[in-house]
Amino acid sequence: MRGASTVNGLHGMYLHHRLNSSRLVVLLQQWARDDGARAAQLPQPDVAHTLSQWLGTVDAVQLSRALHAIESLPEAGRAGAEPGQANDVAALDRLVQKAQADLSALLTARAAAPKPLRARADNTPVALPDPEADADFGAHGPRYLERQRQMDTRLLALRAQVRHAIAKGRPALRQLAALDAVMEQMLGAREQRLWASLPSHLERRLAHRHQAHQQALQTKGLADEPQRWRQPGGWLWAFEQDMQALLLAEMQVRLLPITGLLEAAHNEKTGQQE
């Protein structure tokens, strides 16, 4: 049965991509090496191993039942249901590309310049924020969490939109849309815990950048100049690049199920043309 094999094959591919995001893993491994920590060698788990880690016994039973139900969809299609509409894959491509571009621009936007603590009507000098306050992660953590929230809102909506579009297509795509809905529901909470752990890596990165900066000053016998921290080449400027890199790597992982759905739509369209 072509439809059943398609679901099982895509199911394995889906989990492989979702849980083995090389860009994010490589970045965090690099940070660990920079910290002098012994970088763990992460194996590439197979689907069964991955399921044993991410799904509990009850989840696995529910997933098995869902897969059996999903695999019956092609039979229903042959029994007289509508064969499905052709997807406008090009339109879906544009939709996903625009969303990715918009998010990339948001995630790489520069932090707002510090504003005066208070304005004075008599034109006397205004106190500026203490640049040393930026050495504390409390000045950066909330901004990362806000970017995560914006990513989550936009990509969840995009995923649902793409899934809804391909669910109007042929039986194999309907299967995949149903599978994606099941996987989103079952793995969503676990993924949120993963995203919630990333700021702790970023906090350690801030500490690493600050410590390296202080060591360099001590080695060279130079005085610190906090007002230059955010200038190109400064340690806070470098940390800002780190934050952007982590956000983009996280976005790549979050996009994988969406691009997987899109790839399946492309493959189905190519198969119809052959």
Side-chain angles (χ1 to χ4, degrees), residues 211-228:
Q211 183 180 19
H213 168 72
Q214 292 174 323
Q215 289 176 344
L217 291 176
Q218 184 176 8
T219 299
K220 297 176 182 178
L222 299 175
D224 203 354
E225 299 179 80
Q227 69 274 13
R228 301 183 63 178

Side-chain angles (χ1 to χ4, degrees), residues 101-119:
D102 290 346
L103 267 179
S104 295
L106 172 68
L107 302 180
T108 57
R110 295 183 60 184
K115 295 182 179 180
L117 295 180
R118 61 187 181 278

Side-chain angles (χ1 to χ4, degrees), residues 178-196:
L179 172 62
D180 183 69
V182 170
M183 298 303 291
E184 182 181 42
Q185 180 179 15
M186 297 187 72
L187 299 182
R190 292 163 177 81
E191 290 177 349
Q192 289 302 322
R193 288 195 290 272
L194 170 64
W195 310 139

Side-chain angles (χ1 to χ4, degrees), residues 218-250:
Q218 184 176 8
T219 299
K220 297 176 182 178
L222 299 175
D224 203 354
E225 299 179 80
Q227 69 274 13
R228 301 183 63 178
W229 287 354
R230 282 194 173 276
Q231 296 178 9
W235 76 271
L236 269 179
W237 176 86
F239 171 74
E240 189 71 24
Q241 310 309 303
D242 292 333
M243 181 184 290
Q244 292 179 10
L246 185 60
L247 284 166
L248 291 173
E250 179 180 341

Side-chain angles (χ1 to χ4, degrees), residues 20-27 252:
N20 296 281
S21 52
S22 62
R23 184 174 177 180
L24 182 59
V25 169
V26 167
L27 180 65
Q252 183 196 47

Side-chain angles (χ1 to χ4, degrees), residues 25-253:
V25 169
V26 167
L27 180 65
L28 296 180
Q29 285 180 327
Q30 179 62 55
W31 289 3
R33 285 193 293 270
D34 289 347
D35 283 338
R38 184 174 179 270
Q41 297 299 317
L42 299 181
Q44 296 297 321
D46 58 21
V47 173
H49 181 65
T50 297
L51 282 173
S52 71
Q53 292 182 321
W54 277 65
L55 299 179
T57 302
V58 174
D59 292 332
V61 171
Q62 292 175 341
L63 177 60
S64 178
R65 291 174 179 171
L67 285 172
H68 283 301
I70 290 168
E71 288 172 359
S72 70
L73 289 177
E75 296 295 338
R78 284 198 293 268
E82 293 183 5
Q85 306 170 6
N87 282 294
D88 187 346
V89 180
L92 289 178
D93 275 333
R94 292 191 296 270
L95 179 69
V96 173
Q97 289 168 5
K98 183 179 185 306
Q100 185 171 0
D102 290 346
L103 267 179
S104 295
L106 172 68
L107 302 180
T108 57
R110 295 183 60 184
K115 295 182 179 180
L117 295 180
R118 61 187 181 278
R120 294 180 178 175
D122 59 2
N123 294 324
T124 56
V126 177
L128 291 173
D130 181 1
E132 296 191 29
D134 284 343
D136 188 280
F137 189 69
H140 308 280
R143 184 157 56 95
Y144 194 92
L145 293 174
E146 175 59 18
R147 293 291 185 265
Q148 281 188 319
R149 186 194 66 77
Q150 292 169 318
M151 250 195 295
D152 195 55
T153 299
R154 296 188 186 194
L155 292 182
L156 281 177
L158 179 65
R159 183 174 179 178
Q161 191 172 357
V162 173
R163 183 168 62 223
H164 179 73
I166 72 167
K168 297 178 181 178
R170 301 175 71 84
L173 290 181
R174 296 180 199 170
Q175 285 187 318
L176 181 59
L179 172 62
D180 183 69
V182 170
M183 298 303 291
E184 182 181 42
Q185 180 179 15
M186 297 187 72
L187 299 182
R190 292 163 177 81
E191 290 177 349
Q192 289 302 322
R193 288 195 290 272
L194 170 64
W195 310 139
S197 73
L198 293 183
S200 64
H201 293 276
L202 193 64
E203 184 173 10
R204 288 193 292 272
R205 188 61 173 175
L206 178 75
H208 165 77
R209 288 287 190 189
H210 195 194
Q211 183 180 19
H213 168 72
Q214 292 174 323
Q215 289 176 344
L217 291 176
Q218 184 176 8
T219 299
K220 297 176 182 178
L222 299 175
D224 203 354
E225 299 179 80
Q227 69 274 13
R228 301 183 63 178
W229 287 354
R230 282 194 173 276
Q231 296 178 9
W235 76 271
L236 269 179
W237 176 86
F239 171 74
E240 189 71 24
Q241 310 309 303
D242 292 333
M243 181 184 290
Q244 292 179 10
L246 185 60
L247 284 166
L248 291 173
E250 179 180 341
M251 181 185 72
Q252 183 196 47
V253 179

Side-chain angles (χ1 to χ4, degrees), residues 251-265:
M251 181 185 72
Q252 183 196 47
V253 179
R254 289 177 180 260
L255 275 168
L256 283 172
I258 299 171
T259 55
L261 293 172
L262 193 57
E263 182 181 352

